């Protein structure tokens, strides 16, 4: 059914120096209190929730009622998390969701995220874990993929694809000393693939812009997490 959705994709390359430094500081604190480890994906997923709050159209859905097209505006953000599971040498993709992610604080959100991943790997997910997804995050960058245009599932507004964190390809073979002398910084490319019947390119672009601003510390993003 996803083949019937007219989609478009926006892409944005984002600097990650501040993201990595703040994650390091967060995890130093977590180690001191014997807390859970915070990943880059935790933080990126949290920006999606916060950015959707500013751009709620990205959480909308398309529906036909009595042969008329409608945009369904949804208050709850049910954020799907694409999880790669290996079973008997085969790869399986599961996409459960964090229900009403916008009502959670960051520790509760990260705990819900980790709970989904754990239950996916243990084969303990239930049907309810997959129901009502409104937007999705997929992170093929963990496997080194630089940029991804993932498939949007019916009923969802957008799926965000996160590329690998690294230096621009033309500099990847240089020594750390030369990279430091040139003042180069790591980047990642983030894509937003959206249902073009209800979301316009300018809205998707603004959504990615807000994500970048949050990752760069605007609106007290890291202050709230700390």
């Amino acid at each position: 059914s996803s083949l019937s959705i007219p989609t478009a994709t926006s892409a944005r390359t984002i600097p990650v120096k501040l993201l990595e430094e703040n994650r390091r500081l967060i995890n130093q604190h977590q180690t001191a209190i014997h807390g859970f480890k915070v990943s880059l994906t935790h933080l990126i997923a949290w920006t999606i929730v916060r950015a959707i709050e500013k751009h709620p159209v990205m959480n909308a859905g398309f529906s036909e009622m009595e042969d008329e097209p409608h945009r369904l505006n949804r208050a709850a953000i049910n954020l799907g998390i694409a999880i790669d599971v290996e079973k008997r040498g085969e790869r399986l993709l599961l996409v459960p969701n964090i229900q009403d992610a916008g009502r959670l604080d960051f520790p509760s959100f990260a705990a819900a995220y980790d709970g989904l991943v754990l239950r996916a790997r243990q084969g303990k997910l239930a049907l309810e874990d997959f129901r009502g997804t409104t937007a999705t995050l997929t992170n093929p960058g963990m496997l080194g993929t630089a940029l991804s245009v993932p498939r949007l599932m019916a009923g969802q507004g957008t799926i965000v694809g996160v590329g690998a964190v690294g230096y621009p390809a033309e500099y990847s073979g240089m020594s750390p000393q030369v990279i430091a002398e040139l003042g180069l910084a790591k980047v990642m490319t983030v894509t937003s693939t959206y249902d073009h019947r209800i979301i316009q390119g300018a809205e998707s672009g603004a959504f990615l812009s807000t994500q970048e601003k949050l990752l760069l510390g605007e609106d007290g993003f890291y202050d709230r997490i700390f």
Side-chain angles (χ1 to χ4, degrees), residues 17-214:
K17 177 68 173 176
L18 191 64
L19 170 63
E20 289 189 318
E21 288 296 327
N22 276 295
R23 182 210 174 201
R24 179 178 61 82
L25 291 172
I26 291 167
N27 281 332
Q28 284 179 350
H29 172 75
Q30 292 296 89
T31 299
I33 65 169
H34 306 288
F36 64 89
K37 186 176 181 180
V38 173
S39 70
L40 293 178
T41 310
H42 283 138
L43 296 170
I44 295 167
W46 190 235
T47 67
I48 294 175
V49 176
R50 302 276 76 93
I52 285 177
E53 289 177 341
K54 293 180 177 293
H55 307 277
V57 67
M58 305 304 296
N59 197 52
F62 176 87
S63 178
E64 287 192 1
M65 293 179 280
E66 298 179 354
D67 296 325
E68 291 290 331
H70 288 77
R71 185 174 72 192
L72 304 177
N73 296 314
R74 300 177 288 208
I77 303 169
N78 297 333
L79 182 65
I81 305 296
I83 304 170
D84 179 53
V85 178
E86 187 173 353
K87 284 190 176 181
R88 304 182 190 90
E90 296 184 355
R91 309 303 283 261
L92 178 66
L93 181 66
L94 300 173
V95 192
N97 69 69
I98 300 173
Q99 293 281 326
D100 203 2
R103 67 177 173 80
L104 304 175
D105 60 14
F106 179 74
S108 300
F109 175 82
Y113 183 109
D114 289 343
L116 285 180
V117 173
L118 179 62
R119 287 191 287 124
R121 291 174 177 167
Q122 293 176 339
K124 295 182 178 180
L125 291 172
L127 181 61
E128 192 61 31
D129 293 315
F130 299 90
R131 184 169 292 140
T133 303
T134 59
T136 291
L137 165 66
T138 181
N139 188 4
M142 297 176 64
L143 302 174
T145 300
L147 183 147
S148 175
V149 181
R151 179 80 69 187
L152 181 67
M153 296 293 105
Q156 299 184 34
T158 187
I159 180 168
V160 175
V162 178
V165 172
Y167 297 105
E170 60 268 30
Y171 302 110
S172 59
M174 291 185 176
S175 69
Q177 180 181 350
V178 173
I179 288 175
E181 290 173 352
L182 292 174
L184 299 176
K186 294 180 180 179
V187 297
M188 67 178 177
T189 299
V190 179
T191 60
S192 165
T193 298
Y194 54 93
D195 189 333
H196 211 344
R197 295 170 296 187
I198 54 173
I199 299 169
Q200 302 308 314
E203 294 168 319
S204 176
F207 166 72
L208 289 180
S209 176
T210 296
Q211 266 196 277
E212 178 177 9
K213 291 175 181 177
L214 292 172

